Amino acid sequence: QSPIPNPHLLAINKKTLLERMIENCINANIREFILIVGHNKQKVYETAPKLEKKLDISIKMYFLLSSIGLLT
């Protein structure tokens, strides 16, 4: 467990910043998302499926290794 929290999963009034950003995109008729994850990826992997179900959206996630590139 890393001591540095992921700021996008910080909850304010019971909603994460990631959820708020996605809701703003939904308001602009965007329903498909790609998330590039690296540091603290496990929390995002746990949160994304819940957001997909709750908000009726599609999220694809990719893990980034800085020296290698993208991996699925």
Side-chain angles (χ1 to χ4, degrees):
Q1 183 79 350
S2 173
I4 302 171
N6 185 324
H8 294 103
L9 297 179
L10 175 67
I12 300 172
N13 292 330
K14 299 184 182 181
K15 283 189 186 180
T16 64
L17 296 178
L18 177 61
E19 184 175 355
R20 290 175 189 278
M21 288 186 282
I22 289 174
E23 286 177 342
N24 286 333
C25 291
I26 290 170
N27 290 336
N29 295 317
I30 300 168
R31 302 195 72 79
E32 295 179 359
F33 301 89
I34 297 173
L35 300 179
I36 309 299
V37 296
H39 180 72
N40 284 344
K41 67 185 179 297
Q42 190 58 38
K43 291 288 188 184
V44 178
Y45 284 147
E46 293 169 5
T47 302
K50 295 173 188 173
L51 291 176
E52 283 183 304
K53 185 175 181 179
K54 179 180 178 180
L55 301 173
D56 190 29
I57 58 172
S58 172
I59 299 176
K60 291 185 181 179
M61 289 183 286
Y62 295 92
F63 177 61
L64 177 66
L65 293 175
S66 60
S67 62
I68 298 174
L70 292 177
L71 303 174
T72 58

